[in-house]
Amino acid sequence: MSRFWMILIEAFPQILLQGIKVTLPLTAVSFFFALIISVIVAMIQYADIPVLKQICRFYIWLIRGTPLLVQLYVIFYGLPSVGIYLDAWPAAIFVLSFNEGAYMAETVRGALESIPVGQVEAGQCVGLSYLQIMWHIVLPQAFKVAFPSLSNSLIGLLKETSLATTITITEMIRQAQIINSKHYETLGLYCEVAIIYLAFCTILTWIQRAAEKRLNRVGGRTEND
Amino acid sequence: MIEVKGLRKSFGDNEVLKGVDLTIEKGDVVVILGPSGSGKTTILRCINFLEKASEGTMVFDGETFDLSSMNRKDIHRLRMKTAFVFQNYNLFANMTVLRNVEIGLTAARGMGKAEAEEIALRMLEKVGLSDKRDAYPSQLSGGQQQRVAIARALASSPEVIYFDEPTSALDPELIGEVLAVMRDLADEGMTMVVVTHEMNFARNISNKVLFLEDGNVIESAPTKQFFEAPSSERAKAFVRMITADRTVREDNKQKEI
Ligand SMILES: Nc1ncnc2c1ncn2[C@@H]1O[C@H](COP(=O)(O)OP(=O)(O)O)[C@@H](O)[C@H]1O
Ligand SMILES: [Mg+2]
């Protein structure tokens, strides 16, 4: 077998291992926090709570108007100069969660607003409290509306974790760089990274499809027509 | 039982209700008539606090409330005694028919699942939809959805049910089934306030009519008197117009058939 394939075959488990040890957990944890952030931020805007609402708008404006890479640099390399030291992992999780959370908040807000007000009023009329209306009526329907976009965010986030390499986290690209510095097989190694990303995303897409099918089976269709 | 006095409501500069009085006795079927935009929906929404009145008082079971400054607790307390049926049903799309009917009992009133289900099933039977208990709203016709909405309203044994044009969104052939259910309720002595353009229902089922124009009550009279000897020209003209319109529509339908 040629040297080229030898290197790629040897590199594959090492890169994949970083994918499993770093990329996937970083994605999962960040997405979990991003989801919580987005639901809270969206609900504050939906409920039109003064002051908090302005803070949420500011947060979304700030995050969406600046590059993720800059956010990572500011938090990881910038904050130490004012005495705040974060390790690479907490910094990455913090930045990725708040970054993706801002985009997802807009998705969730749109989904909440798409639920007919009439159902909220009907909920009030049968005596449900605001939180009960949110919990039993609005959120379940909004979740279904938001699901495809949220899945998109998850897939986007998976790929964005690659930027964590810039703050010293050895994820897949960093691992490929390390191997490359020994063997100089740039094209092959980075293509290998691409293929692993592709495989991860493909699996996520399958899961999304299956989940959407399930969601559409239970609960009938939402009434947005 | 309910006495509303001096109800006013403005949206910005637009005064939509200009001092409406309304008395509802137990067992009354009050019909609110009036041209589109006269403020009928707004009355119902104000007395069920979906809209905040600008002015007005309400006596409910002997307690007096200021409609323009209701606190949340009173609103909740009064809503527990009333029910609302909307023009476009507003069923909870993510719930089965059965859950739509029982959620006001389980979640809002803390009733046990078994008891709530029993009541809900009884109400569904009443509106003739027991077999649809596991269907979702989107699987039902408009008439069926409105009957579920009525079952939902009935489940909590309200003292009064407000109906806002319950048949206006329905295809003509589905109106009858909803009106039939409402007629049964009236026969059982349910207190109802009904905004409608169904003159037959108004004439035969209601005992009081409130005729509204441009936010003013033009006429408030017992049904018989309203239809046989309306005191205002406008009420007379309105009844004539609605009746004529209906006849024309029915004639057209006959022709189509
Ligand atoms: N939320 C609202 N904001 C502004 N204007 C409204 C609102 N709801 C109703 N109106 C106005 O109030 C008037 C009465 O409306 P409505 O009570 O719905 O009349 P009806 O039910 O008799 O047709 C209309 O002129 C309508 O445009
Ligand atoms: Mg109306």
Side-chain angles (χ1 to χ4, degrees), chain B residues 36-37 39-42 87 164-165 195 197:
Chain B
S36 174
K40 307 180 296 294
T41 297
T42 308
Q87 185 169 352
D164 186 14
E165 301 206 33
V195 173
H197 291 298

Side-chain angles (χ1 to χ4, degrees), chain B residues 96-136:
Chain B
T96 61
V97 163
L98 182 65
R99 269 205 82 209
N100 261 279
V101 179
E102 69 184 11
I103 189 160
L105 299 173
T106 52
R109 288 163 182 80
M111 189 184 280
K113 181 85 183 142
E115 194 186 347
E117 182 168 326
E118 193 198 310
I119 294 174
L121 286 174
R122 213 165 57 231
M123 296 308 144
L124 284 175
E125 202 165 318
K126 205 168 189 149
V127 300
L129 288 172
S130 307
D131 56 325
K132 297 289 183 194
R133 53 176 285 177
D134 295 321
Y136 284 90

